[in-house]
């Protein structure tokens, strides 16, 4: 059962299409899991929602998704993010908003738990240090958990008597799944922030018990055009080319 694991698409349909095409070129895809922030920042919220629904993806909500459905205030968002949320909320179809607003904050599938930020604060926490990793492992009832939100691809292993450390996972990084508990971040599809502008995702091969991080070139100019056309801040278009 090959599974495509994506996060932080942020209304970037060009990046999502490239990720799905890249995965399909390698293996027939059975499932898509998405860790939230489907919308926000980018210019194509509707097509991204439609693509996930068409594939019956297992999806949890991110802060941008919740805010675009008025389930969370944007008081703590930076002004650019808040503006993109307001723009998105106006464009969502009634049906799209219902779907987005109905997404759970966490989900479990087999050995995996999905959350946007972390298990203790799914909407908000950037899981980036040892204390946060320990808290995550304490709450994690499955061997492996998946988080997004920071837009940084990494893995943390739970090894007895060893401080959890964050290992960055570049293109092609493959991990064999065994009895070591893990926290996995697939990186961001639609707005990578690790200075590599290529879309990031994880391909999970359940039969082989492996996960592989992949980076994919996509039509950045097309995504930028959609942002500019939407009248969203130009910075949101420019950052895509720089991966920040
Ligand atoms: Zn995000």
């Amino acid at each position: 059962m090959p599974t495509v694991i994506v996060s932080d698409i942020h209304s970037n349909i060009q990046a999502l299409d490239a990720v799905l095409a890249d995965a399909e070129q390698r293996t027939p895809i059975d499932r898509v899991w998405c860790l939230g922030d489907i919308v926000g920042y980018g210019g194509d919220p509707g097509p991204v929602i439609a693509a996930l629904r068409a594939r019956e993806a297992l999806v949890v909500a991110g802060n941008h998704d919740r805010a675009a459905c008025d389930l969370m205030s944007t008081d703590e968002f930076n002004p650019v993010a808040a503006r993109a949320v307001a723009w998105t909320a106006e464009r969502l179809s009634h049906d799209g908003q219902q779907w987005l607003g109905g997404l759970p904050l966490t989900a479990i599938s087999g050995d995996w738990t999905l959350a946007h930020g972390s298990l203790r604060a799914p909407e908000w926490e950037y899981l980036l240090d040892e204390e946060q990793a320990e808290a995550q492992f304490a709450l994690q009832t499955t061997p492996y958990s998946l988080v997004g939100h920071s837009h940084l691809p990494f893995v943390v292993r739970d090894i007895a008597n060893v401080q959890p450390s964050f290992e960055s996972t570049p293109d092609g990084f493959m991990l064999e799944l065994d009895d070591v508990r893990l926290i996995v971040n697939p990186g961001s599809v639609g707005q990578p922030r690790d200075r590599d502008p290529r879309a990031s995702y994880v391909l999970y091969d359940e039969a082989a018990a492996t996960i592989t991080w992949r980076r994919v070139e996509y039509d950045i100019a097309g995504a930028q055009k959609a942002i500019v056309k939407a009248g969203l801040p130009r910075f949101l278009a420019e950052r895509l080319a720089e991966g920040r």
Side-chain angles (χ1 to χ4, degrees):
M1 280 249 259
T3 305
V4 173
I5 304 172
V6 296
S7 190
D8 297 277
I9 303 165
H10 285 296
S11 298
N12 186 337
I13 190 63
Q14 288 81 3
L16 179 62
D17 282 345
V19 160
L20 294 172
D22 180 78
E24 251 149 19
Q25 214 183 307
R26 268 146 235 289
T27 176
I29 297 309
D30 286 319
R31 304 185 294 200
V32 176
W33 294 348
C34 174
L35 311 176
D37 277 7
I38 296 146
V39 301
Y41 296 134
D44 286 308
V48 169
I49 290 172
L52 292 174
R53 294 182 76 178
R55 287 175 185 264
E56 296 177 12
L58 175 64
V59 187
V60 293
N63 49 315
H64 284 258
D65 308 319
R66 305 269 297 166
C69 296
D70 219 6
L71 294 168
M72 167 177 199
S73 123
T74 53
D75 290 353
E76 316 246 329
F77 280 58
N78 70 57
V80 168
R83 202 171 136 194
V85 163
W87 179 86
T88 302
E90 270 174 41
R91 260 92 197 156
L92 286 177
S93 67
H94 177 71
D95 188 47
Q97 194 163 44
Q98 291 247 307
W99 179 81
L100 204 59
L103 296 174
L105 290 175
T106 62
I108 289 181
S109 180
D111 286 344
W112 298 82
T113 305
L114 289 66
H116 181 60
S118 72
L119 286 173
R120 69 177 172 188
E123 291 166 298
W124 269 118
E125 186 171 24
Y126 289 93
L127 204 163
L128 291 170
D129 72 27
E130 295 79 39
E131 182 275 327
Q132 293 170 309
E134 274 167 4
Q136 177 84 356
F137 282 128
L139 291 170
Q140 196 172 307
T141 58
T142 56
Y144 318 118
S145 71
L146 290 162
V147 298
H149 195 41
S150 64
H151 299 206
L152 300 173
F154 64 72
V155 63
V156 186
R157 298 166 216 248
D158 187 17
I159 297 167
N161 307 314
V162 177
Q163 277 259 39
S165 68
F166 288 70
E167 187 175 354
S168 66
T169 47
D171 185 25
F173 188 97
M174 201 251 273
L175 204 63
E176 290 185 19
L177 301 170
D178 50 26
D179 53 3
V180 177
R181 286 162 24 106
L182 304 174
I183 303 167
V184 167
N185 190 323
S188 168
V189 169
Q191 196 196 77
R193 290 181 190 161
D194 60 352
R195 302 271 164 190
D196 180 345
R198 295 176 297 171
S200 184
Y201 78 100
V202 159
L203 198 53
Y204 166 38
D205 184 337
E206 191 172 358
T210 60
I211 51 173
T212 308
W213 278 258
R214 296 201 44 83
R215 302 302 285 256
V216 186
E217 309 232 358
Y218 73 93
D219 176 16
I220 291 179
Q224 290 176 318
K225 220 182 270 176
I227 288 168
V228 172
K229 197 176 147 207
L232 289 163
R234 252 173 200 280
F235 163 68
L236 291 174
E238 287 158 8
R239 68 189 298 177
L240 294 181
E242 292 157 30
R244 69 184 174 94

